[in-house]
Amino acid sequence: MRILFLGDIVGRSGRDAVEARLPELRRQLRVDLAVINAENASHGFGLAPAMADSLFAAGCDVLTLGNHAWDRKELIGHIGGAPRIVRPLNFPPGTPGQGSVMITLADGRKAMVANVMGRLFMDALDDPFRATQELLSRQRLGTTVQAIVVDFHAEATSEKAAFAHYVDGRVSLVVGTHTHTPTSDHRILVGGTAFQADAGMCGDYDSVIGMGKEGAMARFVRKMPGERLQPADGEATVCGLFVETDDRTGLARTVAPLRLGGALSQTMPDLAAV
Amino acid sequence: MRILFLGDIVGRSGRDAVEARLPELRRQLRVDLAVINAENASHGFGLAPAMADSLFAAGCDVLTLGNHAWDRKELIGHIGGAPRIVRPLNFPPGTPGQGSVMITLADGRKAMVANVMGRLFMDALDDPFRATQELLSRQRLGTTVQAIVVDFHAEATSEKAAFAHYVDGRVSLVVGTHTHTPTSDHRILVGGTAFQADAGMCGDYDSVIGMGKEGAMARFVRKMPGERLQPADGEATVCGLFVETDDRTGLARTVAPLRLGGALSQTMPDLAAV
Amino acid sequence: MRILFLGDIVGRSGRDAVEARLPELRRQLRVDLAVINAENASHGFGLAPAMADSLFAAGCDVLTLGNHAWDRKELIGHIGGAPRIVRPLNFPPGTPGQGSVMITLADGRKAMVANVMGRLFMDALDDPFRATQELLSRQRLGTTVQAIVVDFHAEATSEKAAFAHYVDGRVSLVVGTHTHTPTSDHRILVGGTAFQADAGMCGDYDSVIGMGKEGAMARFVRKMPGERLQPADGEATVCGLFVETDDRTGLARTVAPLRLGGALSQTMPDLAAV
Amino acid sequence: MRILFLGDIVGRSGRDAVEARLPELRRQLRVDLAVINAENASHGFGLAPAMADSLFAAGCDVLTLGNHAWDRKELIGHIGGAPRIVRPLNFPPGTPGQGSVMITLADGRKAMVANVMGRLFMDALDDPFRATQELLSRQRLGTTVQAIVVDFHAEATSEKAAFAHYVDGRVSLVVGTHTHTPTSDHRILVGGTAFQADAGMCGDYDSVIGMGKEGAMARFVRKMPGERLQPADGEATVCGLFVETDDRTGLARTVAPLRLGGALSQTMPDLAAV
Ligand SMILES: [Fe+2]
Ligand SMILES: [Fe+2]
Ligand SMILES: [Fe+2]
Ligand SMILES: [Fe+2]
Ligand SMILES: [Fe+2]
Ligand SMILES: [Fe+2]
Ligand SMILES: [Fe+2]
Ligand SMILES: [Fe+2]
């Protein structure tokens, strides 16, 4: 299965870039499943239902969230009827929405996408390791499901790496989100799971993780309240990664980063190698 | 000036890889200044003086530290006589050692290297922005000094980006350390400063940020004390970046990542392009 | 039921004071149930089994723990056979020991004691509110059990107060521990549960929360490693509170603080009023 | 000198209680200096200038702040002309207002009041110990100033105790604020400085640190955004302490807690003993 994952969309600049590039990316990479983290899509904070619809229309299959899941409160009432928008699995019982979704491709293959939140330097939630363990105990990769993608939304690289090794061999891909900075540690772990500590954001990198530089700097230097942070509006870099899995095992054959447009160095998966 | 920076050396595996590769890297890239973060060189915790000597002998010019600066207590008494070992600038007044060093190259050019620590999700220290401001107020890039390198040792990508923009145009390079994961956001900021949020570690990546997987996972899952964490001992990836600056301005002309050996995808600066 | 609760015993000074005073306190206050937090009993860190035995011999019925539960690793193997030593309820499934214990008094009345840990500014654990909810769902206060005591081991007063209101009317007493500082907010909440945000420690208050002043101050000022922290060894103040409940409802009739010996102002429950 | 200190005023309930009781308290206790923390006076968040005026009119001499200093942005422009409103001393250089004020009593005696913020579990600020050291280096207690009061606004009892011992013998009183919970550890330290880890709040205690119970509980349990927190509006307890100092040394002779009205146990300094 050919999987495209894009990191946190930040504001209009990020949305525009993703919607402009996604159709062509799907064709070019013959993508079977496109998953995008959209927790910052709406002006940097949350995901308005209309923007989710627009991203689905552009070719996204599943949208994931994170600590900003409910910044746009409209989503709370909307998510129950929108199973392809996935909120963190380890939110408390009773939280609206689901922490994972099973997608059936047109050719009948099945893929599960989960969104899980780390705890180190983050809000207190239930154990992401055990929550994932319970989810995975109901699946058999390569049998009941051809691919499993986990968006592990977390701050600390230690927790991200520990989590990836914990599920190594039982999921197709663990990809981190939340730091809004792509890492170059993409690799296939010893058990066959593809891993990258952070996908990076789809947003303007001439910024502080997607938000305007002046306001963000002032928060660190002056320790005074200022204007509300605004998303930077320069050209976004679309950041993410591409994974091809073996349907018989669900494990990864290749993993390659992708960075298109904007301020970062450009890279596309080598189609010949895939 | 041609500057090589390598990220946190972790344990024997990291030291061996750096010492084996550094001489050839210096020749190949015609490096003028080699700076390496060594806060985890000694079994993952701190830097023993003898290991510092060995790294200097292998061709390192300056060693930087971080939150693990004093894990090997022998360094406290040693650092006063070892000015090329630089500890965080914003440690309290009265702390042994210095937060920056001025290096004079064989050809007379001068380079300053500083080590600064962030505060978000880190220990409480004095303001890294103001400490750097004061340091820079005594220099004029391109005039009193040909290059200034700042190793910003911090957890949060937001603080790293805010810091880099804060000194943009006043230093040659801001490179983050501490997360032990290389980022692919290397770029030259609008003011001419090269930036990469994290250099990554020089260590075995089949690990949890350089430490053995089992012990590190247990800390997240079982919440029980176990054996002391041990550095992973597989082949290290030497991670860092290469920057070429314009001596007349001190600003960056090129920035390129470097990853050699071990589990990560390999990359070397394109010598033709430099 | 007449319940005595004493806060975190710190080191030899705290142990000696508790063991010396407990027999007389039991007689004087006609105590039915004595519960003591002992997470710092062994030189400030953890609880050695022999010291637990000594505290039980002095008249303690139940010992509770906290974040220092496993600092003395001998306890890990011992706790399974020592049901009156209670570790935090919301430790991960599979953790040795239990998070609550049911005690049957000589006259047949039953009391449950639980130890629960907060999460704000503490280590990441499972939700203490839900864990307590599940525990309480199996009991009916005043029917299946005459009294329920919860030692809520936490840092933040907001979490302590929120927790107390959450279980108000369903337990006899919520008493905080961990800050090593007694609070004077003891009261009976609107639903009938007695509450005090922190019991305070049984230790020498001419200290920094029980540990020697010089070493503790140096940690804040110099940010350098020093000698290992040692418990202060001056005379301890025995700190805690006394609650009388109505056996038919399990709710509190009176709550009164107790501070005996050492540097703090002295207070004893007014026996006439009880 | 006879000093009354009251802890964080929370909302209308707290303001009303303080303004109603302060005139009588001043007479009854023959107060020379009344200092009140008002960081939550305006609907729980910040201090509007008009409310400061009202508190001064009721007999307050100095108002202190904390992490909520700028929640009411009108104060930023107002504080420069209102020297008896004191913001944290260790806010960054250039911050409006001052971190201390020198008050001259009608009889010519002088008292200094400072507001200092801790860092453990709080926002990153410059070192409160060193900032206080610098402030104190310009005074000589008992000579240049008859009394020095420090409101140490902090979360952790360890930092509060370490700070108090650090300045013991050099100031008249260290009183903690911020936890909104009064402690019963009031005492005179070995060097002669009075200390209480927290003054408690002036607010409705049938709440979660002054805010409505339902909203505050939901934040811990449901992890969902809800209504903005509202101050509880039941009768407030006026919480604080009373200290009498020796003008020749500036050190404390007596320290006694005060709790009046509302849900907490009532206590007034024993006038005969003072
Ligand atoms: Fe996030
Ligand atoms: Fe995000
Ligand atoms: Fe570090
Ligand atoms: Fe490191
Ligand atoms: Fe504790
Ligand atoms: Fe404790
Ligand atoms: Fe407050
Ligand atoms: Fe506060």
Side-chain angles (χ1 to χ4, degrees):
Chain A
M1 195 179 298
R2 298 165 75 93
I3 302 165
L4 175 69
F5 185 94
L6 303 180
D8 311 39
I9 297 176
V10 180
R12 171 182 297 273
S13 157
R15 293 195 315 272
D16 286 353
V18 167
E19 294 178 10
R21 288 182 190 271
L22 187 55
E24 174 61 15
L25 278 172
R26 286 203 76 125
R27 269 190 301 276
Q28 207 175 341
L29 296 169
R30 303 195 310 274
V31 168
D32 296 311
L33 178 72
V35 181
I36 310 181
N37 185 297
E39 67 150 5
N40 308 104
S42 294
H43 213 66
F45 298 93
L47 173 65
M51 293 179 184
D53 291 343
S54 180
L55 288 162
F56 287 131
C60 178
D61 295 304
V62 177
L63 291 168
T64 54
L65 296 164
N67 54 308
H68 289 287
W70 312 128
D71 286 2
R72 289 299 295 257
K73 294 185 187 168
E74 313 92 286
L75 192 63
I76 298 173
H78 179 80
I79 197 169
R84 292 193 293 144
I85 305 178
V86 179
R87 49 79 177 163
L89 179 69
N90 51 335
F91 273 0
T95 302
Q98 301 294 329
S100 67
V101 66
M102 185 70 81
I103 298 288
T104 304
L105 305 189
D107 58 16
R109 285 178 296 166
K110 294 167 79 180
M112 191 165 76
V113 178
N115 185 212
V116 180
M117 246 172 80
R119 300 193 290 187
L120 196 47
F121 313 132
M122 307 281 286
D123 195 18
L125 291 176
D126 286 329
D127 181 357
F129 292 74
R130 200 167 72 246
T132 305
Q133 171 72 33
E134 288 166 11
L135 181 73
L136 295 181
S137 70
R138 300 193 294 271
Q139 301 299 333
R140 185 111 185 272
L141 186 63
T143 306
T144 62
V145 60
Q146 276 63 57
I148 300 176
V149 173
V150 182
D151 169 358
F152 189 64
H153 195 78
E155 176 69 34
T157 48
S158 58
E159 193 174 15
K160 287 171 168 179
F163 181 85
H165 291 302
Y166 181 73
V167 296
D168 183 18
R170 299 189 287 161
V171 311
S172 310
L173 167 65
V174 172
V175 55
T177 53
H178 179 68
T179 72
H180 292 201
T181 304
T183 59
S184 53
D185 62 338
H186 51 91
R187 62 195 187 272
I188 298 175
L189 303 178
V190 292
T193 295
F195 173 56
Q196 182 172 316
D198 210 288
M201 69 171 167
C202 296
D204 173 10
Y205 279 81
D206 184 21
S207 70
V208 172
I209 61 169
M211 309 310 277
K213 291 189 276 191
E214 293 307 319
M217 264 192 282
R219 296 198 162 200
F220 286 101
V221 176
R222 298 180 57 231
K223 301 279 174 186
M224 298 276 290
E227 299 309 302
R228 184 179 159 81
L229 289 178
Q230 302 288 337
D233 57 5
E235 188 197 340
T237 304
V238 169
C239 278
L241 68 170
F242 176 80
V243 173
E244 183 165 23
T245 59
D246 181 332
D247 289 330
R248 292 164 307 172
T249 63
L251 298 175
R253 273 193 198 133
T254 62
V255 53
L258 175 155
R259 299 185 298 276
L260 294 174
L264 296 198
S265 73
Q266 306 290 295
T267 190
M268 263 292 281
D270 179 351
L271 289 175
V274 172
Chain B
M1 194 179 298
R2 298 164 76 92
I3 301 165
L4 176 70
F5 184 95
L6 302 180
D8 311 39
I9 296 175
V10 180
R12 171 183 298 273
S13 157
R15 292 196 317 271
D16 285 353
V18 166
E19 293 179 10
R21 289 182 188 270
L22 187 55
E24 173 62 13
L25 278 172
R26 286 203 76 126
R27 270 190 300 275
Q28 206 175 343
L29 296 169
R30 303 195 310 276
V31 169
D32 296 311
L33 178 72
V35 180
I36 309 181
N37 186 298
E39 69 152 3
N40 309 104
S42 294
H43 213 65
F45 299 93
L47 173 64
M51 293 181 186
D53 290 344
S54 180
L55 288 162
F56 286 131
C60 177
D61 294 303
V62 177
L63 290 168
T64 54
L65 296 164
N67 53 309
H68 288 288
W70 312 128
D71 285 2
R72 289 299 294 257
K73 293 184 186 167
E74 313 91 285
L75 193 63
I76 298 172
H78 179 79
I79 197 170
R84 292 193 293 145
I85 304 177
V86 179
R87 50 79 177 161
L89 179 68
N90 51 335
F91 273 0
T95 302
Q98 301 294 330
S100 66
V101 65
M102 186 70 81
I103 298 290
T104 304
L105 306 189
D107 59 16
R109 285 178 297 167
K110 293 167 78 181
M112 190 164 77
V113 178
N115 185 212
V116 179
M117 245 172 80
R119 300 193 288 188
L120 197 46
F121 313 132
M122 307 281 286
D123 194 19
L125 292 176
D126 287 327
D127 181 358
F129 292 75
R130 200 166 74 247
T132 305
Q133 171 72 32
E134 288 167 11
L135 181 73
L136 296 181
S137 71
R138 300 192 294 273
Q139 301 298 333
R140 185 113 183 271
L141 187 63
T143 306
T144 62
V145 59
Q146 276 64 56
I148 300 176
V149 173
V150 182
D151 170 358
F152 189 64
H153 195 77
E155 176 70 34
T157 48
S158 58
E159 192 174 17
K160 287 173 167 179
F163 181 85
H165 292 303
Y166 181 74
V167 296
D168 183 18
R170 299 190 287 162
V171 311
S172 310
L173 168 65
V174 172
V175 54
T177 54
H178 178 69
T179 72
H180 293 201
T181 304
T183 58
S184 54
D185 62 337
H186 52 90
R187 61 195 189 271
I188 298 176
L189 303 178
V190 293
T193 295
F195 173 57
Q196 183 172 315
D198 210 287
M201 68 170 169
C202 296
D204 173 9
Y205 279 81
D206 185 21
S207 70
V208 172
I209 63 168
M211 309 310 277
K213 290 188 279 190
E214 292 308 319
M217 263 191 283
R219 296 197 163 202
F220 286 101
V221 175
R222 299 181 57 231
K223 302 279 175 185
M224 297 277 291
E227 298 310 301
R228 184 179 158 82
L229 289 179
Q230 302 288 337
D233 57 5
E235 189 197 343
T237 304
V238 170
C239 278
L241 68 170
F242 176 79
V243 173
E244 182 164 26
T245 59
D246 181 332
D247 289 330
R248 292 163 308 172
T249 62
L251 298 174
R253 273 192 197 134
T254 62
V255 53
L258 176 154
R259 298 185 297 277
L260 293 176
L264 297 199
S265 72
Q266 306 288 297
T267 191
M268 263 291 280
D270 179 351
L271 289 174
V274 172
Chain C
M1 195 180 296
R2 299 165 74 93
I3 302 165
L4 176 69
F5 185 94
L6 302 180
D8 311 40
I9 297 176
V10 180
R12 170 182 297 275
S13 157
R15 293 195 316 271
D16 286 353
V18 167
E19 292 178 9
R21 288 182 190 270
L22 187 55
E24 173 61 15
L25 278 172
R26 286 203 75 125
R27 269 190 300 276
Q28 208 176 341
L29 296 169
R30 303 195 310 276
V31 168
D32 296 310
L33 178 72
V35 181
I36 309 181
N37 186 299
E39 68 151 4
N40 308 104
S42 293
H43 214 65
F45 299 92
L47 173 65
M51 292 179 186
D53 290 343
S54 181
L55 288 162
F56 286 132
C60 178
D61 295 304
V62 177
L63 291 169
T64 53
L65 296 165
N67 53 308
H68 289 287
W70 312 128
D71 286 2
R72 290 298 295 257
K73 293 183 187 168
E74 313 91 286
L75 193 62
I76 298 172
H78 179 80
I79 198 170
R84 292 193 293 146
I85 304 177
V86 179
R87 49 80 176 161
L89 180 68
N90 51 334
F91 273 0
T95 302
Q98 300 294 329
S100 66
V101 66
M102 185 71 81
I103 298 289
T104 304
L105 305 188
D107 58 17
R109 287 178 295 167
K110 294 167 78 180
M112 191 165 75
V113 178
N115 185 212
V116 180
M117 246 173 78
R119 301 193 288 186
L120 196 47
F121 312 133
M122 307 281 285
D123 195 18
L125 291 176
D126 286 328
D127 181 357
F129 292 75
R130 200 166 74 248
T132 304
Q133 170 73 33
E134 288 166 10
L135 181 73
L136 296 180
S137 70
R138 301 192 293 271
Q139 300 298 334
R140 185 113 183 272
L141 187 63
T143 306
T144 62
V145 60
Q146 277 62 58
I148 300 176
V149 173
V150 182
D151 169 359
F152 189 65
H153 195 77
E155 175 70 35
T157 48
S158 58
E159 193 174 16
K160 286 172 168 179
F163 181 85
H165 292 302
Y166 181 75
V167 296
D168 184 17
R170 298 189 288 161
V171 311
S172 310
L173 167 65
V174 172
V175 54
T177 53
H178 179 68
T179 72
H180 292 201
T181 304
T183 59
S184 53
D185 62 336
H186 52 91
R187 62 195 188 271
I188 298 176
L189 302 179
V190 293
T193 295
F195 173 56
Q196 182 173 313
D198 210 287
M201 69 171 167
C202 297
D204 173 10
Y205 280 80
D206 184 22
S207 70
V208 172
I209 62 167
M211 308 310 276
K213 290 188 279 190
E214 294 307 318
M217 265 192 281
R219 296 199 162 199
F220 285 101
V221 175
R222 300 181 57 231
K223 301 280 175 186
M224 298 276 291
E227 299 308 303
R228 185 179 157 83
L229 289 178
Q230 302 289 337
D233 57 5
E235 188 196 343
T237 304
V238 169
C239 278
L241 68 171
F242 176 79
V243 174
E244 183 164 23
T245 59
D246 180 333
D247 288 330
R248 293 163 307 172
T249 63
L251 297 175
R253 274 192 196 134
T254 62
V255 53
L258 174 155
R259 298 186 296 278
L260 294 174
L264 296 199
S265 72
Q266 306 290 296
T267 191
M268 262 293 279
D270 179 351
L271 288 175
V274 173
Chain D
M1 195 179 299
R2 298 164 76 93
I3 301 165
L4 176 69
F5 185 94
L6 302 180
D8 311 40
I9 297 175
V10 180
R12 171 182 298 274
S13 158
R15 293 196 315 273
D16 286 354
V18 167
E19 293 179 9
R21 288 182 189 270
L22 187 56
E24 174 60 14
L25 277 172
R26 286 203 75 126
R27 270 190 300 276
Q28 210 175 339
L29 295 170
R30 301 195 311 276
V31 169
D32 295 312
L33 177 72
V35 181
I36 309 181
N37 186 297
E39 68 150 3
N40 308 104
S42 294
H43 214 65
F45 298 93
L47 173 65
M51 292 180 186
D53 291 343
S54 180
L55 288 162
F56 286 132
C60 178
D61 295 303
V62 177
L63 291 169
T64 54
L65 296 165
N67 54 309
H68 289 287
W70 311 127
D71 286 1
R72 289 299 293 257
K73 293 186 187 167
E74 314 91 285
L75 193 63
I76 298 172
H78 179 79
I79 198 170
R84 292 193 294 145
I85 305 176
V86 179
R87 50 80 177 161
L89 180 68
N90 50 335
F91 273 0
T95 302
Q98 300 294 329
S100 66
V101 64
M102 186 69 82
I103 298 290
T104 305
L105 305 189
D107 60 16
R109 285 178 296 167
K110 293 166 79 179
M112 190 163 77
V113 178
N115 186 213
V116 180
M117 245 170 81
R119 301 192 289 187
L120 196 47
F121 312 132
M122 308 279 287
D123 195 19
L125 291 176
D126 287 328
D127 181 358
F129 292 75
R130 199 166 74 247
T132 304
Q133 171 71 34
E134 288 167 10
L135 181 73
L136 296 180
S137 71
R138 300 192 294 272
Q139 301 298 334
R140 184 109 185 273
L141 187 63
T143 306
T144 63
V145 60
Q146 277 63 56
I148 299 176
V149 173
V150 181
D151 170 359
F152 189 65
H153 195 78
E155 176 69 34
T157 48
S158 59
E159 193 174 16
K160 286 172 168 179
F163 181 86
H165 291 302
Y166 181 74
V167 296
D168 183 18
R170 298 189 288 162
V171 311
S172 311
L173 167 65
V174 171
V175 54
T177 53
H178 180 68
T179 71
H180 293 201
T181 304
T183 58
S184 54
D185 62 337
H186 51 90
R187 62 196 188 270
I188 298 175
L189 302 178
V190 293
T193 295
F195 173 57
Q196 183 172 314
D198 210 288
M201 70 170 167
C202 296
D204 174 9
Y205 279 81
D206 185 20
S207 71
V208 173
I209 62 168
M211 309 310 277
K213 290 188 277 190
E214 292 308 319
M217 263 191 284
R219 295 197 163 203
F220 285 101
V221 176
R222 299 180 57 233
K223 301 280 175 186
M224 298 275 292
E227 298 309 302
R228 184 179 157 84
L229 289 178
Q230 303 287 337
D233 58 5
E235 189 196 342
T237 304
V238 169
C239 277
L241 68 169
F242 176 79
V243 174
E244 183 164 24
T245 59
D246 180 333
D247 289 330
R248 292 163 307 172
T249 62
L251 298 174
R253 273 192 197 135
T254 62
V255 53
L258 175 155
R259 298 185 298 276
L260 294 173
L264 296 199
S265 73
Q266 306 289 296
T267 190
M268 262 293 279
D270 179 351
L271 288 174
V274 172

